[in-house]
Amino acid sequence: MKVVNLKQAILQAWKERWSDYQWAVNMKKFFPKGATWDILNLAEALLEQAMIGPSPNPLILSYLKYAISSQMVSYSSVLTAISKFDDFSRDLCVQALLDIMDMFCDRLSCHGKAEECIGLCRALLSALHWLLRCTAASAERLREGLEAGTPAAGEKQLAMCLQRLEKTLSSTKNRALLHIAKLEEASSWTAIEHCLLKLGEILANLSNHQLRSQAEQCGTLIRSIPTMLSVHSEQLHKTGFPTVHAVVLLEGTMNLTGETQPLVEQLMMVKRMQHIPTPLFVLEIWKACFVGLIESPEGTGELKWTAFTFLKIPQVLVKLKKYSHGDKDFTEDVNTAFEFLLKLTPLLDKADQRCNCDCTNFLLQECSKQGLLSEASMNNLMAKRKADREHAPQLKSDENANIQPNPGLILRAEPTVTNILKTMDADHSKSPEGLLGVLGHMLSGKSLDLLLAAAAATGKLKSFARKFINLNEFTTHRSEESTKAASVRALLFDISFLMLCHVAQTYGSEVILSESNTGGEVFFFETWMQTCMPEEGKILNPDHPCFRPDSTKVESLVALLNNSSEIKLVQMKWHEACLNISAAILEILNAWENGVLAFESIQKITDNIKGKVCSLAVCAVAWLVAHVRMLGLDEREKSLQMIRQLAGPLYSENTLQFYNERVVIMSSILEHMCADVLQQTATQIKFPSTGMDTMPYWNLLPPKRPIKEVLTDIFAKVLEKGWVDSRSIHIFDTLLHMGGVYWFCNNLIKELLKETRKEYTLRAVELLYSIFCLDMQQVTLVLLGHILPGLLTDSSKWHSLMDPPGTALAKLAVWCALSSYSSHKGQASSRQKKRHREDIEDYISLFPLDDMQPSKLMRLLSSNEEDANILSSPTDRSMSSSLSASQLHTVNMRDPLNRVLANLFLLISSILGSRTAGPHTQFVQWFMEECVDCLEQGSRGSILQFMPFTTVSELVKVSAMSSPKVVLAITDLSLPLGRQVAAKAIAAL
């Protein structure tokens, strides 16, 4: 008989009572190859025929079960067919459908195309919706049955529904497929949520506790599907976190002027990557602050740390609070952190001794003011600390009794900064004397450094510097003036000039230079600082045109310095004198060298230079420093002698106001300027003592030792100790400057790979990450672009990638990649801007991303004959094989970091696809595991977007990576193609 359609075939089979096997054979005869059973809708047709009567047709159901078992029909077509049945009053039919689901609901799979796998996700979502509707209908009937006094039937069916729900949802694989389906069909998911709410209302009054708890468990599982990636367990077995400690120390020591947001983001990144509980995280920040306070060098260093601890860190915590899920929770966590901190009595006592006050008290008040602690918690903590201090060793000695503690001074200085900024905004021409009084007050004692530290910690230093640049510029424009007005103008010029030099040396020249001066006028001080001021890492040419101004003005200045008993102030153009002084000094030096001038004349000239305004002496020494660098050993004596003459104060009755205070600042500026040259020429110059160490952390490297030895030594000490101190940070920074990023990174990675003790390798990773924060962007480029590819492509180095150092290196690489990628859209911090930046072109030639032009890295991969088979080079593949989410998001590939990441993931893909396994394959697995471990839920735009889509199917072949959660984590689910790739990989597991 010629069968016309599917329905006829099924009816014939039923009439003739074929067995399931016979039915399958005949069906294949009736319908020759071509169309698949799913296209013919076999599952739906069978169910339709089976469910015609009040009870299901067992024979036709047996055909469906046979079709499922022999894989004639796909699971998705069966689920879709089931979800179309909606007459829940027919108990036997519903039970039959639940039995069919029971056959396969916990072992769904699909090995077809990506579209079929996405189809399975959608079908499972429909089936879940159907199950929930069925459960709700059963629960409704049970409720009605209870009212009528016949509960048994309804209870049995409800139990069956809940059992199937639980069985379906308890599989992580199913939940992962539902996660993808939710993103594909948001409206269907909304319907499921409504169903869940309705079910909860119906079951709320159910007396059977077992069924109710089962339903609640299913509800919890469904609600967990959208967030199944964001569940991370926190580290509860550790109490110390050296990375947080070092990041805070680094910021406090080297970047007080930096904005708080990048620090907050960096700390949050560390917290996420290391899964640190909030109370311990906040505790570690406070511990680092107290250690910094205790270690800080006297003078400016101590004031900087005090401002950082009491002004900046509370602001950082206020921003961290916004990342927290609830205000109340965060204040509780801060309270808990302080409770822990109070147990560290020796640390707090030492800090109190150093600062000569109850530091905790100040800190608690500041946190309470910022809304980080409730008043009750603050009072409770204060009382505890007060009781502790009773038993402390004598914290106040007699000599310290009169010294005002720095924390109190800093907290009072902060509002003063705001007032001074307002004063500086006024019209200078109206009351220059009043302004001079304010500035004079700022110069006394340590007021200036206090105010600058408070301004730096609260982000006001830039506007502070801008105001002084404007003031300095104002003094260069003069009108008709009296002698008194001329002396006030000279003093305003001098004080503003000295203050700006001091700020540039203490906090970096970036604070002074305006961001964009395009089109606007360039002020005198900015011009002078950029071209004439010696700084670390800046070599000046003494013959540069900027030191060779108008010769007639130079001659008149030389005459003025040489002939006058003292410089006349009226109508004096101080900025011109500062620009001309370098050429004048050259003339005077030449005259002295050639015997035209005697030493007495030189003394008179230097006295004239420093007699009225100290800025002239600063400008003269700035040029002399550049000049001395260019001279031979035997030619330097007179220049150095002249620096000596300019460095000492002038003992005369005829000086202008605030002379002693200005000389103190001048000496500190000159000492900074001359430090490099004096070290190179092994010369000593006695600068007038300012009563403090003006150059902490200077000259830290031991003489006559190779810097590699110094690096390995200092790293070994830090590793043994378990944390990085301020001095070590400065040594690492100096070594990074001297050796360069590649040398620095390469040697530290070698040290890590030598370590074989598991506990120490993990500690080394935490410490290295924080050391790399000195210049994270550049270190990451070197680590991911040069060092890792070198280790992964050279089989002679594979042995060094064994566990534990290999695991540690993978962890470190991921941490660096994530940190750099999340922050590289922001600006480099001021301490990183000073360093030489790699040329972007270098990275483009090293890593071209065009498949027609193989990169150096990929040519390296296929250079050995035997290795060519092992690591198939991506150059042999089509472009589609290296297609990644980043290309679909159109990420800028001119960016060096993006190129390096894309090439690293191509290399990883190549290693996974190769026929040889080894430590390098294991390393790739650890690298990917760490990526998954550190990822945030739905983090589109993470580093994994650079991974080719084809890598996913290779990865799931590695047993440790073959889990649905891993697949969800490594694919970009915001893209339709990403969802298809994930569905295909998960459905095949």
Side-chain angles (χ1 to χ4, degrees), residues 55 62 182 230 258 269 350 425 428 474 524 563 594 693 706 720 749 774 814 828 831 946:
S55 63
S62 73
K182 171 197 170 287
S230 58
M269 175 68 72
K350 204 158 173 49
D425 276 335
H428 304 319
F474 160 74
F524 154 71
N563 304 330
N594 296 318
D693 178 7
E720 200 56 49
I749 296 298
L774 284 165
V814 172
R831 68 171 182 276
F946 294 99

Side-chain angles (χ1 to χ4, degrees), residues 118-312:
I118 283 284
L120 176 61
C121 296
R122 289 181 163 143
L124 183 58
L125 192 65
S126 306
L128 175 65
H129 192 201
W130 180 83
L131 269 175
L132 284 170
R133 280 162 48 221
C134 184
T135 310
S138 309
E140 192 67 57
R141 283 182 61 201
L142 172 60
R143 195 165 69 179
E144 288 164 8
L146 284 168
E147 287 164 9
T150 53
E155 199 164 275
K156 183 189 173 193
Q157 190 162 316
L158 178 61
M160 279 181 79
C161 288
L162 288 171
Q163 196 185 343
R164 300 306 176 279
L165 256 179
E166 198 170 11
K167 191 173 180 182
T168 306
L169 292 166
S170 58
S171 148
T172 313
K173 178 175 173 178
N174 286 356
R175 293 203 304 279
L177 293 170
L178 286 166
H179 183 89
I180 295 168
K182 171 197 170 287
L183 297 171
E184 281 283 320
E185 294 187 358
S187 56
S188 305
W189 186 258
T190 314
I192 282 176
E193 286 175 329
H194 284 314
C195 238
L196 210 52
L197 284 171
K198 186 181 164 192
L199 183 61
E201 286 165 15
I202 298 170
L203 292 174
N205 304 318
L206 191 67
S207 57
N208 186 326
H209 286 296
Q210 189 186 347
L211 288 179
R212 200 163 72 204
S213 72
Q214 202 175 0
E216 280 166 8
Q217 207 173 343
C218 292
T220 308
L221 282 171
I222 292 172
R223 287 187 194 95
S224 73
I225 289 169
T227 57
M228 65 187 293
L229 285 183
S230 58
V231 184
H232 281 306
S233 58
E234 292 188 327
Q235 284 201 30
L236 298 172
H237 58 284
K238 278 182 72 174
T239 52
F241 300 94
T243 314
V244 178
H245 190 99
V247 166
V248 173
L249 267 183
L250 180 74
E251 197 73 12
T253 311
M254 294 189 154
N255 200 23
L256 179 62
T257 53
E259 288 176 28
T260 50
Q261 193 55 36
L263 172 61
V264 169
E265 282 167 14
Q266 192 178 17
L267 285 169
M268 277 311 291
M269 175 68 72
V270 173
K271 182 180 187 296
R272 271 202 305 270
M273 292 190 303
Q274 297 187 16
H275 313 312
I276 308 174
T278 309
L280 294 178
F281 174 64
V282 177
L283 171 67
E284 199 63 52
I285 293 174
W286 290 135
K287 272 162 60 178
C289 286
F290 278 103
V291 169
L293 271 177
I294 294 163
E295 280 185 348
S296 61
E298 274 188 42
T300 320
E302 190 181 346
L303 292 176
K304 280 184 175 182
W305 258 108
T306 313
F308 180 73
T309 305
F310 295 92
L311 292 176
K312 191 167 185 177

Side-chain angles (χ1 to χ4, degrees), residues 540-564:
L540 298 172
N541 170 12
D543 300 325
H544 190 275
C546 72
F547 292 122
R548 296 278 165 275
D550 185 348
S551 55
T552 53
K553 288 181 181 172
V554 173
E555 281 170 25
S556 60
L557 180 62
V558 172
L560 187 67
L561 294 172
N562 192 20
N563 304 330
S564 314

Side-chain angles (χ1 to χ4, degrees), residues 713-767:
D713 255 21
I714 190 79
F715 181 66
K717 280 179 192 161
V718 161
L719 186 59
E720 200 56 49
K721 198 161 52 168
W723 54 283
V724 189
D725 56 282
S726 313
R727 189 170 183 280
S728 308
I729 285 176
H730 278 272
I731 293 176
F732 282 123
D733 191 48
T734 311
L735 291 168
L736 176 55
H737 266 295
M738 291 179 84
V741 182
Y742 179 81
W743 173 88
F744 183 76
C745 185
N746 193 32
N747 281 308
L748 284 174
I749 296 298
K750 281 180 187 169
E751 291 307 303
L752 171 65
L753 293 176
K754 282 180 200 166
E755 191 52 70
T756 51
R757 299 165 290 182
K758 193 172 180 77
E759 181 196 339
Y760 273 66
T761 53
L762 288 172
R763 185 191 289 181
V765 170
E766 294 185 331
L767 294 169

Side-chain angles (χ1 to χ4, degrees), residues 523-699:
F523 293 148
F524 154 71
F525 186 81
E526 284 182 292
T527 313
W528 180 82
M529 199 182 83
Q530 281 174 302
T531 49
C532 310
M533 183 170 168
E535 274 185 286
E536 182 190 4
K538 180 163 110 183
I539 304 297
L540 298 172
N541 170 12
D543 300 325
H544 190 275
C546 72
F547 292 122
R548 296 278 165 275
D550 185 348
S551 55
T552 53
K553 288 181 181 172
V554 173
E555 281 170 25
S556 60
L557 180 62
V558 172
L560 187 67
L561 294 172
N562 192 20
N563 304 330
S564 314
S565 53
E566 59 179 53
I567 294 179
K568 298 286 181 288
L569 302 176
V570 179
Q571 301 296 315
M572 181 70 181
K573 297 178 182 175
W574 294 111
H575 63 297
E576 284 186 6
C578 284
L579 289 173
N580 294 332
I581 192 82
S582 48
I585 291 284
L586 179 61
E587 297 285 327
I588 293 160
L589 259 180
N590 287 340
W592 188 17
E593 300 267 354
N594 296 318
V596 177
L597 288 175
F599 182 62
E600 290 72 29
S601 307
I602 298 298
Q603 273 183 315
K604 184 179 133 189
I605 289 169
T606 52
D607 284 352
N608 265 337
I609 291 174
K610 65 190 177 186
K612 295 293 182 194
V613 295
C614 299
S615 338
L616 275 182
V618 171
C619 295
V621 172
W623 178 81
L624 281 165
V625 164
H627 181 64
V628 170
R629 279 181 192 277
M630 305 299 169
L631 299 176
L633 270 174
D634 51 340
E635 301 169 318
R636 291 173 173 168
E637 192 190 334
K638 285 194 164 55
S639 300
L640 289 169
Q641 212 169 343
M642 195 170 250
I643 293 178
R644 266 195 203 93
Q645 288 296 319
L646 289 165
L650 177 68
Y651 300 103
S652 155
E653 299 294 313
N654 209 3
T655 53
L656 292 173
Q657 249 179 312
F658 311 121
Y659 186 67
N660 293 339
E661 290 87 344
R662 286 182 290 134
V663 165
V664 168
I665 300 178
M666 177 185 83
S667 300
S668 152
I669 293 167
L670 297 187
E671 190 174 351
H672 272 86
M673 275 185 179
C674 300
D676 271 344
V677 161
L678 297 182
Q679 187 185 17
Q680 287 160 12
T681 56
T683 313
Q684 283 191 325
I685 290 181
K686 182 85 178 85
F687 291 94
S689 171
T690 56
M692 59 174 101
D693 178 7
T694 51
M695 298 193 64
Y697 306 120
W698 170 253
N699 207 5

Side-chain angles (χ1 to χ4, degrees), residues 97 270 338 818:
L97 292 176
V270 173
F338 271 116
L818 285 173

